[in-house]
Amino acid sequence: MISIENDVRAIALAARDASRVVARASEEVRNRALLAMAEALRAHLPAILERNAVDMKAGEKAGMSAGMLDRLRLDEDRIDGMACALESLAQLPDPVGRVLEHRTMDDGMDLRRVSVPLGVVAMVYEARPNVTADAAGIALKSGNACVLRGGSQALHSNAAIVAALREAVVSAGLPADAVSFIDTPDRGATDALMRMRGIVDVLIPRGGAGLIRHCVEYATVPVIETGTGNCHVYVHETADFNRAISILLNAKTQRISVCNACESLLVDGAIAAEFLPQACKALAEAGVEIHGDAATRAAAQKAGVAGNFVDATDDDWGREYLALEISVKVVSGVEEAIDHINRYGTKHSECIVANEASVQGAAAIEEFLAGVDAAAVYANASTRFTDGGCFGLGAEIGISTQKLHVRGPFALEALTTYKYVVRGTGQVRP
């Protein structure tokens, strides 16, 4: 264990040295590095896919779920998407050196509050090799160095990606350790990284609830908590049924392995008898297993899809399935929907479907948007839009469900802090 701690410390110290070089690098140099990283991913495509195949085979043998295997899988399109994200980052405004505040003090001193990099950003994440490129790119664009700690299930994929990225960083004139990687499968390395206070400036865990909870509870390094996603779609009594089912299916089935996928459907009791059979049929036709209450059971039977229904337990209301499964509950109205979401939700993304053109529907929408405690709240749109790219932030490093220091999709600006720059002409304090 001491050896692992020493190894991790050495990696973190090298990243700290690199961070000081990156922080002083010009925007032009950092953008050149990003473009080189994108080119390197494409150039190393065969090697990355070969190493990913090793991880996929091991994952299948270990019985990884379909959702986790989907997160792990790389193909030519996904790698090109990673490269395109890096290229998009290079086109974004520089988050470093922005003057956030400027004023002249009473004694004539010039005071500016200026954005600066955080320093060393550590990422701990599970079997999502695309995060490796996203995190490295966002850290570099914002003037930081990163220490990446991916899950052991993606060890070979991540190592191949990092090798390509480090080669590219050096070609742009920056130190290779600006993109650092912990390549041991030993879990003790994660705990060691979390204790590198004074070397690592911020820790960002991205993965399942267990990983995030462990980091939040045991880290001595400041943590930005990315959240699991028990996201809800609430169908108000004024909702258009076709619109509601379209939003529901997109939110649930468009990609099941992501944190902004819908995991729970709430239906207004006033329309349950009419809407629920249609919703159950649509979900069943999409291959979704329904964990529902008694009213939903009756609706599934009426729709002829009882084979896709199981009785919900209390545990279902708070579950993030990451699978073709959903919990369904009938509620008495918008107030109960809000209470249920605030109790069981993970403060990620929540949606109401209602008729905004009616007085009742418009009032329900405003009550829902104001009353639900989540990073993103939607009226008549899929929860799948909670994403850095969709929000115009570029490649994201995660979705924060906490309230400090950032909330929702976060990317470049979230990896900067600020300092006060004061210029005087000889003033002394009386």
Side-chain angles (χ1 to χ4, degrees):
M1 184 64 183
I2 293 176
S3 175
I4 288 182
E5 289 182 359
N6 289 338
D7 290 345
V8 172
R9 177 176 292 273
I11 292 170
L13 286 170
R16 186 177 67 179
D17 290 342
S19 74
R20 291 165 179 164
V21 178
V22 177
R24 295 194 301 272
S26 67
E27 179 186 12
E28 179 185 358
V29 169
R30 285 180 277 121
N31 285 341
R32 187 165 67 236
L34 290 169
L35 297 177
M37 290 160 68
E39 184 179 343
L41 288 177
R42 295 190 178 104
H44 289 75
L45 174 69
I48 294 171
L49 290 179
E50 179 184 345
R51 305 314 293 162
N52 181 246
V54 174
D55 289 331
M56 287 295 297
K57 184 176 180 180
E60 290 165 357
K61 185 177 180 180
M64 286 178 67
S65 68
M68 291 298 291
L69 285 171
D70 178 62
R71 289 183 171 189
L72 176 60
R73 182 180 296 107
L74 292 176
D75 55 29
E76 186 172 348
D77 287 342
R78 288 190 178 182
I79 292 174
D80 186 64
M82 291 156 57
C84 288
L86 291 169
E87 291 167 339
S88 296
L89 274 173
Q91 302 304 314
L92 291 175
D94 189 1
V96 179
R98 293 176 300 122
V99 178
L100 306 174
E101 179 184 1
H102 181 203
R103 56 191 170 89
T104 301
M105 299 170 66
D106 291 341
D107 55 12
M109 289 192 297
D110 181 273
L111 181 147
R112 301 180 188 225
R113 186 162 57 93
V114 181
S115 63
V116 296
L118 288 172
V120 177
V121 177
M123 276 285 294
V124 178
Y125 52 102
E126 293 178 342
R128 296 188 67 167
N130 65 295
V131 174
T132 302
D134 287 349
I138 293 169
L140 195 65
K141 175 71 177 185
S142 54
N144 299 287
C146 62
V147 179
L148 305 175
R149 170 59 170 166
S152 59
Q153 305 96 328
L155 183 62
H156 298 89
S157 306
N158 289 334
I161 292 169
V162 168
L165 298 181
R166 284 170 65 90
E167 177 184 303
V169 166
V170 171
S171 74
L174 294 174
D177 290 323
V179 181
S180 295
F181 177 60
I182 297 175
D183 61 0
T184 175
D186 193 313
R187 293 184 179 181
T190 301
D191 289 343
L193 183 62
M194 292 191 300
R195 292 191 292 268
M196 293 295 157
R197 188 176 182 89
I199 303 174
V200 172
D201 293 285
V202 66
L203 173 72
I204 303 171
R206 182 169 173 177
L211 170 68
I212 294 169
R213 182 170 56 250
H214 181 74
C215 290
V216 170
E217 291 178 354
Y218 293 101
T220 59
V221 171
V223 176
I224 298 177
E225 179 180 353
T226 63
T228 54
N230 179 26
C231 306
H232 297 72
V233 171
Y234 164 56
V235 182
H236 184 254
E237 64 177 286
T238 64
D240 176 86
F241 287 7
N242 290 332
R243 175 196 273 182
I245 289 173
S246 175
I247 289 172
L248 171 65
L249 290 179
N250 179 263
K252 176 66 257 182
T253 68
Q254 196 260 346
R255 191 174 178 192
I256 61 173
S257 63
V258 290
C259 59
N260 58 18
C262 171
E263 304 287 23
S264 185
L265 169 65
L266 302 178
V267 178
D268 202 308
I271 57 169
E274 185 179 359
F275 175 76
L276 262 181
Q278 296 181 39
C280 287
K281 182 178 181 182
L283 288 167
E285 288 176 348
V288 180
E289 182 178 80
I290 301 162
H291 301 247
D293 59 8
T296 308
R297 185 195 316 118
Q301 291 170 345
K302 182 178 179 180
V305 294
N308 283 71
F309 178 88
V310 294
D311 288 314
T313 67
D314 286 343
D315 290 339
D316 281 303
W317 307 131
R319 280 187 64 186
E320 182 187 35
Y321 294 102
L322 300 176
L324 286 171
E325 299 178 64
I326 192 170
S327 64
V328 182
K329 181 179 177 63
V330 174
V331 294
S332 59
V334 64
E335 185 175 339
E336 185 181 350
I338 292 171
D339 289 344
H340 181 93
I341 291 170
N342 285 343
R343 177 178 179 183
Y344 293 105
T346 53
K347 304 184 187 303
H348 194 295
S349 302
E350 310 292 358
C351 166
I352 179 174
V353 184
N355 181 2
E356 69 276 15
S358 74
V359 173
Q360 186 182 8
I365 287 172
E366 295 309 314
E367 185 176 355
F368 184 93
L369 298 180
V372 168
D373 183 11
V377 288
Y378 292 86
N380 298 320
S382 170
T383 58
R384 285 286 289 116
F385 287 103
T386 307
D387 175 84
C390 292
F391 282 15
L393 304 173
E396 70 182 33
I397 204 164
I399 310 289
S400 170
T401 54
Q402 66 185 42
K403 298 179 181 179
L404 296 173
H405 115 107
V406 62
R407 198 178 199 195
F410 66 99
L412 298 175
E413 291 187 10
L415 295 189
T416 63
T417 182
Y418 56 81
K419 64 182 177 184
Y420 288 95
V421 178
V422 185
R423 290 181 171 88
T425 56
Q427 290 91 335
V428 295
R429 184 168 177 173

